[in-house]
Amino acid sequence: MTAETALTLADINLNDETLFESGLSHEAFRILRRENPISWTPAEERIKGHWNLVKYEDVLQVSRHPEIFSSERGIVQYEPINPEDATQAANGNGKMLITMDPPRHVKLRRLVNKGFTPRAVAAMEPHIRQITRKLLDGIAAKGECDFVLDVASQLPLAVICGMMGLEDKDWPLMFQLTNKVLGAGDPEYQTDVPEDQRGTDEAARATGNMGTMQMFGFFAQQLMNRKEHRREDLISLLVDSELDGDRLSDEDILWFCFLLILAGNETTRNGISGGLVSLFEHPAERARLQADMSLMPSAVEEILRWVSPVTHMARVALEDTEIRGQRIAQGERVVMWYPAVNRDEDVFPQAQRFDITRTPNDHLAFGIGEHFCLGAGFARLEMRVMFEELFTRFPDIELNGPVERLRSTFIGGIKHLPVRFSPER
Amino acid sequence: MKVVVNADKCEGHGKCEKAAPAVFKLGDDDVSRVLVDDVPESQRGQVDAAIRLCPRQAIAWERP
Ligand code: HEM
Ligand code: SF4
């Protein structure tokens, strides 16, 4: 045991964002899997309690029964006791693909999913490679950079903004606003709040709400513009789509845009940056990969398992039910912890080993079933192309300072990742 | 026994084809087709694996 494993069952509080920021969460999950696989986090002053799922089979059970475990009351762990404490984003509960239950869910998904199938994704590879090369051109002469700001965040941003038909000039704003919404709890993004008030729950709420409202303002403008001039993009497609014979409402379309820009940006970014950190931390695996780049597809899967860029999704039980013999009452919230199930010793042999050739590797980083990640194909492709190009061009890239993690229980994020490499001349 | 793919859910991930190549085939439209009416005893295990692995939970045994 290392020095930092002084953590005991009694200390574990999965509402504590700093547990994730510090990286101690993996140790907490290891203890929970062994000692308390279904644990209850009690209510706090303003938020309800919830069940924590850390075993693979339990997350399968919940994901496979959307008729029992609903997404419509929100997919994050926090549910305010007092409805007045709800965030702006919570107004999207029941209105977004990700917060919608059957039977409407699959109908909405079918409006867009042809653009996300393996075939559609494969057709985008040359374009994604071109964007990646341009990004690497931008850092090549410098010999060092913040890999998150200059590279890892920029590829997913360009891809999703491109699909939505947003102009280059708006991309930095999208980066800023998605940080505010999904990084609301991190003082670095609480720039609308006076400095001495940052780091509080109030500051987090204000930041998330500000980001959400600004996003809506922005997309309302885009929508107006598409209604006048259709283009070849997802927003135009939604404008012309029908569900059960009706056009989508403006509100439906705006929530869809909100979901796509967040889901497309804040996840793959951390798959790329978290992947690079994992490879830095496992030099033998990295050397194996660099010696044989044909291992890239399985390396990407192992990175997804290891990093689990989305930390949790939650559901609410619609009826009294049972998981692993534990009674779950109607109305109670269950939280599926992806980094925990992806290292479940009962499913993955040598689960604590980072092995870029692991097969089989049926990790749940993208969830499974009804809400299986719509963008999984793009995320995998972006990660593969990025690492192929990066290691071809900068084979000696290495860490050049401290890795700064996001303070969040929802996104396993990296904010800053200083790297250095031999510059190109 | 008969197995069915729900075409509304299937998004062409192809895990089924890998798990049970004699039973499933991905069409040009990115939707998986079932190749046999009655899955032979010897392939039922493979189909169970496909059901388990399908990311969209689109495959099921047809209840008689
Ligand atoms: C490594 C990157 C990514 C990870 C780890 C990830 C993870 C996830 C997870 C775990 C879910 C399941 C939600 C649930 O069960 O409640 C999900 C859903 C979703 N993801 Fe991703 N995602 C990634 C990238 C992307 C990208 C690039 C896009 C868009 C281009 C995207 C769009 C979506 C959408 C729209 C949903 C909702 C699907 C539904 O509810 O039917 N994701 N994602
Ligand atoms: S694994 Fe599922 S989603 Fe993929 S092709 Fe087969 S049936 Fe379709």
Side-chain angles (χ1 to χ4, degrees), chain B residues 31-61:
Chain B
V31 175
S32 172
R33 302 283 189 291
V34 177
L35 302 173
V36 293
D37 274 342
D38 185 31
V39 178
E41 188 74 48
S42 61
Q43 281 158 16
R44 288 189 189 160
Q46 290 181 5
V47 170
D48 282 334
I51 291 174
R52 190 179 153 84
L53 291 173
C54 171
R56 291 286 291 135
Q57 214 186 334
I59 313 171
W61 290 112

mmCIF file of all heavy atoms in Angstrom, chain B residues 31-61:
data_model
loop_
_atom_site.group_PDB
_atom_site.id
_atom_site.type_symbol
_atom_site.label_atom_id
_atom_site.label_comp_id
_atom_site.label_asym_id
_atom_site.label_seq_id
_atom_site.Cartn_x
_atom_site.Cartn_y
_atom_site.Cartn_z
ATOM 1 N N VAL B 31 -27.814 -1.403 -40.448
ATOM 2 C CA VAL B 31 -28.719 -2.124 -39.551
ATOM 3 C C VAL B 31 -28.426 -3.618 -39.686
ATOM 4 O O VAL B 31 -28.230 -4.126 -40.790
ATOM 5 C CB VAL B 31 -30.209 -1.845 -39.893
ATOM 6 C CG1 VAL B 31 -31.132 -2.705 -39.021
ATOM 7 C CG2 VAL B 31 -30.535 -0.372 -39.681
ATOM 8 N N SER B 32 -28.390 -4.303 -38.562
ATOM 9 C CA SER B 32 -28.063 -5.718 -38.550
ATOM 10 C C SER B 32 -29.271 -6.559 -38.962
ATOM 11 O O SER B 32 -30.397 -6.277 -38.561
ATOM 12 C CB SER B 32 -27.607 -6.090 -37.137
ATOM 13 O OG SER B 32 -27.455 -7.474 -37.032
ATOM 14 N N ARG B 33 -29.018 -7.578 -39.788
ATOM 15 C CA ARG B 33 -30.073 -8.513 -40.208
ATOM 16 C C ARG B 33 -29.835 -9.871 -39.580
ATOM 17 O O ARG B 33 -28.684 -10.290 -39.431
ATOM 18 C CB ARG B 33 -30.049 -8.711 -41.720
ATOM 19 C CG ARG B 33 -30.224 -7.459 -42.534
ATOM 20 C CD ARG B 33 -31.676 -7.015 -42.577
ATOM 21 N NE ARG B 33 -31.892 -5.930 -43.521
ATOM 22 C CZ ARG B 33 -31.445 -4.684 -43.393
ATOM 23 N NH1 ARG B 33 -30.740 -4.343 -42.350
ATOM 24 N NH2 ARG B 33 -31.693 -3.765 -44.312
ATOM 25 N N VAL B 34 -30.915 -10.563 -39.280
ATOM 26 C CA VAL B 34 -30.807 -11.937 -38.785
ATOM 27 C C VAL B 34 -30.843 -12.867 -39.990
ATOM 28 O O VAL B 34 -31.739 -12.768 -40.834
ATOM 29 C CB VAL B 34 -31.951 -12.258 -37.814
ATOM 30 C CG1 VAL B 34 -31.873 -13.711 -37.361
ATOM 31 C CG2 VAL B 34 -31.895 -11.335 -36.608
ATOM 32 N N LEU B 35 -29.852 -13.762 -40.088
ATOM 33 C CA LEU B 35 -29.716 -14.594 -41.283
ATOM 34 C C LEU B 35 -30.506 -15.895 -41.214
ATOM 35 O O LEU B 35 -30.753 -16.513 -42.232
ATOM 36 C CB LEU B 35 -28.229 -14.927 -41.509
ATOM 37 C CG LEU B 35 -27.293 -13.732 -41.679
ATOM 38 C CD1 LEU B 35 -25.841 -14.194 -41.709
ATOM 39 C CD2 LEU B 35 -27.632 -12.976 -42.952
ATOM 40 N N VAL B 36 -30.860 -16.317 -40.009
ATOM 41 C CA VAL B 36 -31.503 -17.634 -39.889
ATOM 42 C C VAL B 36 -32.843 -17.525 -39.152
ATOM 43 O O VAL B 36 -32.997 -16.693 -38.269
ATOM 44 C CB VAL B 36 -30.589 -18.635 -39.134
ATOM 45 C CG1 VAL B 36 -29.352 -18.948 -39.940
ATOM 46 C CG2 VAL B 36 -30.210 -18.101 -37.757
ATOM 47 N N ASP B 37 -33.785 -18.366 -39.531
ATOM 48 C CA ASP B 37 -35.100 -18.370 -38.884
ATOM 49 C C ASP B 37 -35.034 -19.003 -37.509
ATOM 50 O O ASP B 37 -35.647 -18.521 -36.553
ATOM 51 C CB ASP B 37 -36.108 -19.157 -39.724
ATOM 52 C CG ASP B 37 -36.736 -18.265 -40.776
ATOM 53 O OD1 ASP B 37 -36.644 -17.028 -40.597
ATOM 54 O OD2 ASP B 37 -37.290 -18.791 -41.748
ATOM 55 N N ASP B 38 -34.295 -20.104 -37.469
ATOM 56 C CA ASP B 38 -34.219 -20.848 -36.217
ATOM 57 C C ASP B 38 -32.740 -20.979 -35.869
ATOM 58 O O ASP B 38 -31.968 -21.541 -36.647
ATOM 59 C CB ASP B 38 -34.871 -22.229 -36.430
ATOM 60 C CG ASP B 38 -34.923 -23.010 -35.128
ATOM 61 O OD1 ASP B 38 -35.028 -22.369 -34.064
ATOM 62 O OD2 ASP B 38 -34.840 -24.252 -35.178
ATOM 63 N N VAL B 39 -32.350 -20.409 -34.743
ATOM 64 C CA VAL B 39 -30.931 -20.439 -34.382
ATOM 65 C C VAL B 39 -30.569 -21.844 -33.895
ATOM 66 O O VAL B 39 -31.175 -22.338 -32.944
ATOM 67 C CB VAL B 39 -30.609 -19.414 -33.273
ATOM 68 C CG1 VAL B 39 -29.144 -19.499 -32.880
ATOM 69 C CG2 VAL B 39 -30.974 -18.012 -33.723
ATOM 70 N N PRO B 40 -29.613 -22.509 -34.570
ATOM 71 C CA PRO B 40 -29.245 -23.856 -34.150
ATOM 72 C C PRO B 40 -28.687 -23.852 -32.719
ATOM 73 O O PRO B 40 -28.045 -22.889 -32.306
ATOM 74 C CB PRO B 40 -28.158 -24.279 -35.140
ATOM 75 C CG PRO B 40 -28.063 -23.203 -36.164
ATOM 76 C CD PRO B 40 -28.825 -22.013 -35.689
ATOM 77 N N GLU B 41 -28.969 -24.921 -32.036
ATOM 78 C CA GLU B 41 -28.499 -25.136 -30.665
ATOM 79 C C GLU B 41 -27.038 -24.674 -30.473
ATOM 80 O O GLU B 41 -26.721 -23.941 -29.544
ATOM 81 C CB GLU B 41 -28.625 -26.648 -30.373
ATOM 82 C CG GLU B 41 -28.369 -27.058 -28.929
ATOM 83 C CD GLU B 41 -29.511 -26.678 -28.012
ATOM 84 O OE1 GLU B 41 -30.674 -26.964 -28.354
ATOM 85 O OE2 GLU B 41 -29.229 -26.086 -26.950
ATOM 86 N N SER B 42 -26.209 -25.066 -31.442
ATOM 87 C CA SER B 42 -24.763 -24.824 -31.312
ATOM 88 C C SER B 42 -24.418 -23.335 -31.312
ATOM 89 O O SER B 42 -23.345 -22.936 -30.888
ATOM 90 C CB SER B 42 -24.025 -25.517 -32.450
ATOM 91 O OG SER B 42 -24.465 -24.973 -33.682
ATOM 92 N N GLN B 43 -25.337 -22.506 -31.819
ATOM 93 C CA GLN B 43 -25.009 -21.075 -31.910
ATOM 94 C C GLN B 43 -25.728 -20.231 -30.863
ATOM 95 O O GLN B 43 -25.593 -19.009 -30.852
ATOM 96 C CB GLN B 43 -25.333 -20.577 -33.317
ATOM 97 C CG GLN B 43 -24.234 -20.968 -34.305
ATOM 98 C CD GLN B 43 -24.722 -20.995 -35.725
ATOM 99 O OE1 GLN B 43 -25.775 -20.447 -36.043
ATOM 100 N NE2 GLN B 43 -23.960 -21.647 -36.583
ATOM 101 N N ARG B 44 -26.476 -20.881 -30.000
ATOM 102 C CA ARG B 44 -27.257 -20.083 -29.023
ATOM 103 C C ARG B 44 -26.367 -19.324 -28.046
ATOM 104 O O ARG B 44 -26.678 -18.193 -27.668
ATOM 105 C CB ARG B 44 -28.244 -20.987 -28.293
ATOM 106 C CG ARG B 44 -29.354 -21.368 -29.273
ATOM 107 C CD ARG B 44 -30.519 -22.074 -28.679
ATOM 108 N NE ARG B 44 -31.339 -22.527 -29.809
ATOM 109 C CZ ARG B 44 -32.230 -23.489 -29.759
ATOM 110 N NH1 ARG B 44 -32.454 -24.128 -28.622
ATOM 111 N NH2 ARG B 44 -32.923 -23.814 -30.823
ATOM 112 N N GLY B 45 -25.260 -19.937 -27.684
ATOM 113 C CA GLY B 45 -24.327 -19.269 -26.775
ATOM 114 C C GLY B 45 -23.775 -17.993 -27.402
ATOM 115 O O GLY B 45 -23.678 -16.953 -26.744
ATOM 116 N N GLN B 46 -23.462 -18.098 -28.715
ATOM 117 C CA GLN B 46 -22.946 -16.917 -29.416
ATOM 118 C C GLN B 46 -24.000 -15.811 -29.454
ATOM 119 O O GLN B 46 -23.687 -14.626 -29.327
ATOM 120 C CB GLN B 46 -22.564 -17.277 -30.852
ATOM 121 C CG GLN B 46 -21.327 -18.155 -30.946
ATOM 122 C CD GLN B 46 -20.973 -18.470 -32.398
ATOM 123 O OE1 GLN B 46 -21.587 -17.973 -33.333
ATOM 124 N NE2 GLN B 46 -19.961 -19.298 -32.575
ATOM 125 N N VAL B 47 -25.239 -16.196 -29.653
ATOM 126 C CA VAL B 47 -26.314 -15.192 -29.713
ATOM 127 C C VAL B 47 -26.508 -14.551 -28.332
ATOM 128 O O VAL B 47 -26.678 -13.334 -28.215
ATOM 129 C CB VAL B 47 -27.631 -15.805 -30.241
ATOM 130 C CG1 VAL B 47 -28.786 -14.822 -30.077
ATOM 131 C CG2 VAL B 47 -27.469 -16.195 -31.705
ATOM 132 N N ASP B 48 -26.424 -15.371 -27.285
ATOM 133 C CA ASP B 48 -26.500 -14.803 -25.935
ATOM 134 C C ASP B 48 -25.401 -13.760 -25.734
ATOM 135 O O ASP B 48 -25.633 -12.698 -25.143
ATOM 136 C CB ASP B 48 -26.371 -15.912 -24.876
ATOM 137 C CG ASP B 48 -27.678 -16.691 -24.708
ATOM 138 O OD1 ASP B 48 -28.746 -16.117 -24.993
ATOM 139 O OD2 ASP B 48 -27.627 -17.870 -24.293
ATOM 140 N N ALA B 49 -24.213 -14.067 -26.261
ATOM 141 C CA ALA B 49 -23.102 -13.111 -26.135
ATOM 142 C C ALA B 49 -23.427 -11.830 -26.892
ATOM 143 O O ALA B 49 -23.194 -10.712 -26.405
ATOM 144 C CB ALA B 49 -21.811 -13.730 -26.650
ATOM 145 N N ALA B 50 -23.996 -11.975 -28.083
ATOM 146 C CA ALA B 50 -24.355 -10.797 -28.880
ATOM 147 C C ALA B 50 -25.382 -9.936 -28.138
ATOM 148 O O ALA B 50 -25.277 -8.712 -28.100
ATOM 149 C CB ALA B 50 -24.903 -11.230 -30.237
ATOM 150 N N ILE B 51 -26.354 -10.605 -27.526
ATOM 151 C CA ILE B 51 -27.387 -9.870 -26.779
ATOM 152 C C ILE B 51 -26.741 -9.080 -25.651
ATOM 153 O O ILE B 51 -27.062 -7.917 -25.408
ATOM 154 C CB ILE B 51 -28.450 -10.850 -26.232
ATOM 155 C CG1 ILE B 51 -29.265 -11.428 -27.388
ATOM 156 C CG2 ILE B 51 -29.356 -10.166 -25.198
ATOM 157 C CD1 ILE B 51 -30.246 -12.519 -26.993
ATOM 158 N N ARG B 52 -25.783 -9.703 -24.998
ATOM 159 C CA ARG B 52 -25.117 -9.060 -23.871
ATOM 160 C C ARG B 52 -24.252 -7.887 -24.322
ATOM 161 O O ARG B 52 -24.187 -6.857 -23.667
ATOM 162 C CB ARG B 52 -24.269 -10.114 -23.151
ATOM 163 C CG ARG B 52 -23.711 -9.685 -21.836
ATOM 164 C CD ARG B 52 -22.911 -10.826 -21.201
ATOM 165 N NE ARG B 52 -21.889 -10.282 -20.322
ATOM 166 C CZ ARG B 52 -22.118 -9.932 -19.069
ATOM 167 N NH1 ARG B 52 -23.310 -10.078 -18.537
ATOM 168 N NH2 ARG B 52 -21.146 -9.416 -18.346
ATOM 169 N N LEU B 53 -23.601 -8.056 -25.483
ATOM 170 C CA LEU B 53 -22.621 -7.053 -25.923
ATOM 171 C C LEU B 53 -23.236 -5.885 -26.694
ATOM 172 O O LEU B 53 -22.643 -4.815 -26.771
ATOM 173 C CB LEU B 53 -21.560 -7.706 -26.803
ATOM 174 C CG LEU B 53 -20.604 -8.666 -26.102
ATOM 175 C CD1 LEU B 53 -19.711 -9.367 -27.118
ATOM 176 C CD2 LEU B 53 -19.745 -7.910 -25.090
ATOM 177 N N CYS B 54 -24.380 -6.087 -27.297
ATOM 178 C CA CYS B 54 -24.959 -5.038 -28.146
ATOM 179 C C CYS B 54 -25.089 -3.742 -27.351
ATOM 180 O O CYS B 54 -25.813 -3.687 -26.357
ATOM 181 C CB CYS B 54 -26.335 -5.454 -28.675
ATOM 182 S SG CYS B 54 -27.180 -4.092 -29.506
ATOM 183 N N PRO B 55 -24.403 -2.686 -27.782
ATOM 184 C CA PRO B 55 -24.420 -1.452 -26.992
ATOM 185 C C PRO B 55 -25.800 -0.817 -26.924
ATOM 186 O O PRO B 55 -26.100 -0.066 -26.007
ATOM 187 C CB PRO B 55 -23.452 -0.519 -27.722
ATOM 188 C CG PRO B 55 -22.760 -1.335 -28.749
ATOM 189 C CD PRO B 55 -23.566 -2.581 -28.982
ATOM 190 N N ARG B 56 -26.629 -1.100 -27.911
ATOM 191 C CA ARG B 56 -27.949 -0.473 -27.959
ATOM 192 C C ARG B 56 -29.041 -1.368 -27.425
ATOM 193 O O ARG B 56 -30.196 -1.034 -27.480
ATOM 194 C CB ARG B 56 -28.261 -0.051 -29.404
ATOM 195 C CG ARG B 56 -27.402 1.094 -29.888
ATOM 196 C CD ARG B 56 -27.824 2.404 -29.272
ATOM 197 N NE ARG B 56 -29.123 2.799 -29.791
ATOM 198 C CZ ARG B 56 -30.118 3.264 -29.043
ATOM 199 N NH1 ARG B 56 -29.979 3.383 -27.742
ATOM 200 N NH2 ARG B 56 -31.248 3.603 -29.596
ATOM 201 N N GLN B 57 -28.669 -2.565 -26.990
ATOM 202 C CA GLN B 57 -29.667 -3.470 -26.432
ATOM 203 C C GLN B 57 -30.785 -3.689 -27.450
ATOM 204 O O GLN B 57 -31.967 -3.638 -27.119
ATOM 205 C CB GLN B 57 -30.256 -2.811 -25.185
ATOM 206 C CG GLN B 57 -30.630 -3.743 -24.099
ATOM 207 C CD GLN B 57 -31.330 -2.953 -23.008
ATOM 208 O OE1 GLN B 57 -31.122 -1.756 -22.844
ATOM 209 N NE2 GLN B 57 -32.157 -3.628 -22.256
ATOM 210 N N ALA B 58 -30.345 -3.933 -28.696
ATOM 211 C CA ALA B 58 -31.304 -4.021 -29.795
ATOM 212 C C ALA B 58 -31.686 -5.461 -30.127
ATOM 213 O O ALA B 58 -32.557 -5.695 -30.961
ATOM 214 C CB ALA B 58 -30.714 -3.348 -31.040
ATOM 215 N N ILE B 59 -31.033 -6.442 -29.498
ATOM 216 C CA ILE B 59 -31.251 -7.849 -29.865
ATOM 217 C C ILE B 59 -31.999 -8.563 -28.742
ATOM 218 O O ILE B 59 -31.726 -8.329 -27.561
ATOM 219 C CB ILE B 59 -29.906 -8.571 -30.089
ATOM 220 C CG1 ILE B 59 -28.973 -7.721 -30.971
ATOM 221 C CG2 ILE B 59 -30.111 -9.943 -30.704
ATOM 222 C CD1 ILE B 59 -27.565 -8.252 -31.062
ATOM 223 N N ALA B 60 -32.935 -9.427 -29.131
ATOM 224 C CA ALA B 60 -33.655 -10.211 -28.113
ATOM 225 C C ALA B 60 -34.135 -11.526 -28.702
ATOM 226 O O ALA B 60 -34.400 -11.613 -29.908
ATOM 227 C CB ALA B 60 -34.848 -9.412 -27.593
ATOM 228 N N TRP B 61 -34.231 -12.546 -27.862
ATOM 229 C CA TRP B 61 -34.913 -13.772 -28.264
ATOM 230 C C TRP B 61 -36.385 -13.446 -28.407
ATOM 231 O O TRP B 61 -36.936 -12.694 -27.597
ATOM 232 C CB TRP B 61 -34.749 -14.864 -27.195
ATOM 233 C CG TRP B 61 -33.358 -15.418 -27.096
ATOM 234 C CD1 TRP B 61 -32.493 -15.255 -26.043
ATOM 235 C CD2 TRP B 61 -32.661 -16.217 -28.054
ATOM 236 N NE1 TRP B 61 -31.310 -15.903 -26.288
ATOM 237 C CE2 TRP B 61 -31.381 -16.501 -27.524
ATOM 238 C CE3 TRP B 61 -32.982 -16.714 -29.317
ATOM 239 C CZ2 TRP B 61 -30.429 -17.260 -28.198
ATOM 240 C CZ3 TRP B 61 -32.028 -17.468 -29.993
ATOM 241 C CH2 TRP B 61 -30.775 -17.732 -29.440
#
